[in-house]
Amino acid sequence: METKQIASILKAPAPHMVGDGFRVHNFFPEGYKINMSPFFLMDYGSKIEFSARKNPRGVGIHPHRGFETVTIAYHGAIAHHDSTGNSGVIYPGDVQWMTAARGILHKEYHEENYSLIGGPFQMVQLWVNLPAKDKIGKPGYQAIKQSEIAIFNLPDHGGKIEVIAGNYKGILGNANTFTPIHLYNARLNKGEKANLSFPANYNTGLMVIEGSIEINGKEEAHADSFVHFENKGTEIEIEALENSVILVLSGEPIDEPIAHYGPFLMNTEAEIHEALSDYNQGKFGYLEE
């Protein structure tokens, strides 16, 4: 088995605000021009303290088409509402997997009780591209509570791998995906190791949420940095230099053209124009402010 080599270890780009509730570092595609298909975008909200507030901060109603949003909470609580009637709150450890497909409106805010109290807030949002054949399919919604996430316990109380999607050593994640994707939270205790294995052609990265790690016995990566791997080799070893949380993402690339405009991710410019027209005609449904 050949080791998967590191292409780069990327520091968090300068943050920007999404609405007034989400301070994020965009690692890709804006922050760094790396190919992580089927993951098109990653906004990482590093840990921040929000003061108490009666009116919750957040992002108002906006559309999406052609992809999925995957939101993972580490601190704080996020409320969601969309035009298909789905709503919910994700707390630390929970995952929300929304399939926009042919079109959806949604809004995201700090959950009301969290907003009233304030405190630490940390999250990740991924945009996962959909194949052309699924871009105009039916929207969907998967709410995955931490208690429902499949777990592989590492030996000798070394920590655990929470399998959100894909599989880890035969443990299958509960999230349904349109293309092959592995998505884990690795929670490792200091001095403990975990071994990962992905096909050579899969685009693979590690987002260090907390702590610091050594990769393949060679290079260190610290909190708020992203480790991007080359598309060769299959094996990765991570060792926790302190108690650490690592988001692991790996997926089979979607080899199709991309046309991107704002909240739309399609294959052609004509499809972008169609998405804008459909949105303006109210075809994405209705969502109350």
Side-chain angles (χ1 to χ4, degrees):
M1 293 291 187
E2 183 183 352
T3 298
K4 188 178 283 291
Q5 300 296 328
I6 294 171
S8 53
I9 298 177
L10 307 171
K11 294 182 179 179
H16 67 275
M17 294 299 297
V18 177
D20 65 357
F22 303 98
R23 188 198 69 173
V24 301
H25 311 264
N26 181 262
F27 274 87
F28 55 87
E30 299 300 327
Y32 296 97
K33 304 299 183 185
I34 59 174
N35 181 14
M36 280 295 297
S37 175
F39 308 101
F40 176 77
L41 174 148
M42 185 176 75
D43 275 343
Y44 168 60
S46 60
K47 194 182 296 182
I48 185 176
E49 291 279 335
F50 279 107
S51 58
R53 181 169 163 173
K54 185 175 181 180
N55 297 318
R57 301 171 176 89
V59 182
I61 297 170
H62 58 284
H64 289 305
R65 173 179 277 185
F67 63 98
E68 304 181 284
T69 64
V70 179
T71 307
I72 306 166
Y74 295 95
H75 293 279
I78 306 160
H80 164 92
H81 296 266
D82 68 41
S83 56
T84 68
N86 288 306
S87 63
V89 177
I90 57 172
Y91 296 99
D94 296 344
V95 179
Q96 173 194 280
W97 200 299
M98 185 187 79
T99 305
R102 66 184 176 223
I104 203 167
L105 304 177
H106 79 143
K107 56 183 180 178
E108 300 163 288
Y109 288 91
H110 294 183
E111 185 272 333
E112 188 174 348
N113 289 327
Y114 165 76
S115 187
L116 288 171
I117 298 168
F121 191 87
Q122 188 179 24
M123 50 80 74
V124 169
Q125 187 171 91
L126 300 165
W127 289 14
V128 180
N129 193 16
L130 288 171
K133 65 182 178 62
D134 298 309
K135 283 185 179 293
I136 55 171
K138 185 179 178 181
Y141 183 80
Q142 301 176 76
I144 307 170
K145 297 296 183 185
Q146 186 173 39
S147 60
E148 300 167 342
I149 293 175
I151 292 173
F152 180 93
N153 289 305
L154 296 168
D156 303 320
H157 305 288
K160 60 184 178 180
I161 308 294
E162 297 174 347
V163 186
I164 300 166
N167 74 82
Y168 181 81
K169 297 186 183 297
I171 301 296
L172 301 179
N174 287 324
N176 294 313
T177 67
F178 287 81
T179 60
I181 287 172
H182 300 286
L183 188 65
Y184 321 142
N185 272 318
R187 301 179 186 271
L188 305 184
N189 297 324
K190 181 180 178 180
E192 300 297 333
K193 296 180 180 180
N195 294 298
L196 309 170
S197 182
F198 304 113
N201 69 312
Y202 278 30
N203 289 318
T204 301
L206 308 175
M207 181 69 229
V208 185
I209 305 295
E210 291 184 14
S212 56
I213 59 174
E214 185 175 78
I215 305 109
N216 298 333
K218 294 179 180 179
E219 298 186 65
E220 293 184 10
H222 303 277
D224 303 338
S225 62
F226 184 79
V227 184
H228 183 221
F229 290 88
E230 296 180 0
N231 291 101
K232 53 187 177 182
T234 59
E235 308 305 304
I236 301 168
E237 180 190 79
I238 53 178
E239 179 179 356
L241 302 177
E242 54 188 308
N243 291 349
S244 299
V245 179
I246 307 101
L247 177 65
V248 180
L249 47 160
S250 185
E252 183 177 60
I254 298 175
D255 187 19
E256 296 175 351
I258 285 178
H260 170 231
Y261 178 80
F264 307 126
L265 187 58
M266 305 303 292
N267 297 106
T268 67
E269 290 299 321
E271 290 170 338
I272 293 292
H273 293 305
E274 183 180 20
L276 284 164
S277 175
D278 288 350
Y279 168 62
N280 289 327
Q281 292 178 57
K283 293 183 179 179
F284 284 34
Y286 174 77
L287 184 59
E288 191 173 326
E289 288 283 357

